[in-house]
Amino acid sequence: MTLTGWIKTYVFFPINLQLTRHYPGGAKQWNAVFSALVAFTLIGIWHGDEWNFVVFGLLHGGIISMNMLFRKRGPQASQEHRGWALVWRRVATLSFVSFS
């Protein structure tokens, strides 16, 4: 089993399920955001016990959380601009990962 599979199976899904049980209704998206932050923080800690790894996990969890929120609430690209939107997302992702 990979680290990603283990975190998804034993951390992300159980936290998300418990939050959904305790906070049903419109908070479903925020439950997933919080679960992603916890999961990525643990992945950062797994890579090492120094603060830079914790910050690395928090940064990636934060960007994944923002992506989850933006996909639900952000503007959708028109049919003619979808190719450019894809290019922009890839450039932004590469820039963020290189920066972090």
Side-chain angles (χ1 to χ4, degrees):
M1 176 175 267
T2 64
L3 174 64
T4 304
W6 191 89
I7 290 285
K8 185 171 55 172
T9 303
Y10 295 108
V11 176
F12 180 81
F13 288 142
I15 290 173
N16 197 19
L17 181 64
Q18 287 299 320
L19 287 173
T20 303
R21 285 182 183 161
H22 289 292
Y23 303 106
K28 186 176 184 180
Q29 185 176 8
W30 291 104
N31 297 341
V33 165
F34 179 75
S35 301
L37 278 172
V38 171
F40 275 92
T41 302
L42 286 176
I43 288 173
I45 292 169
W46 182 86
H47 279 86
D49 60 353
E50 297 173 5
W51 280 106
N52 59 338
F53 293 110
V54 175
V55 171
F56 177 80
L58 283 170
L59 280 173
H60 282 79
I63 200 71
I64 292 295
S65 299
M66 286 175 27
N67 184 30
M68 293 165 85
L69 292 172
F70 188 71
R71 283 184 173 228
K72 294 286 183 180
R73 297 178 185 212
Q76 298 297 322
S78 64
Q79 187 67 24
E80 60 195 39
H81 293 108
R82 286 189 188 198
W84 287 109
L86 178 63
V87 169
W88 169 246
R89 286 194 308 262
R90 288 182 178 169
V91 168
T93 300
L94 177 64
S95 299
F96 176 78
V97 170
S98 297
F99 167 74
S100 65

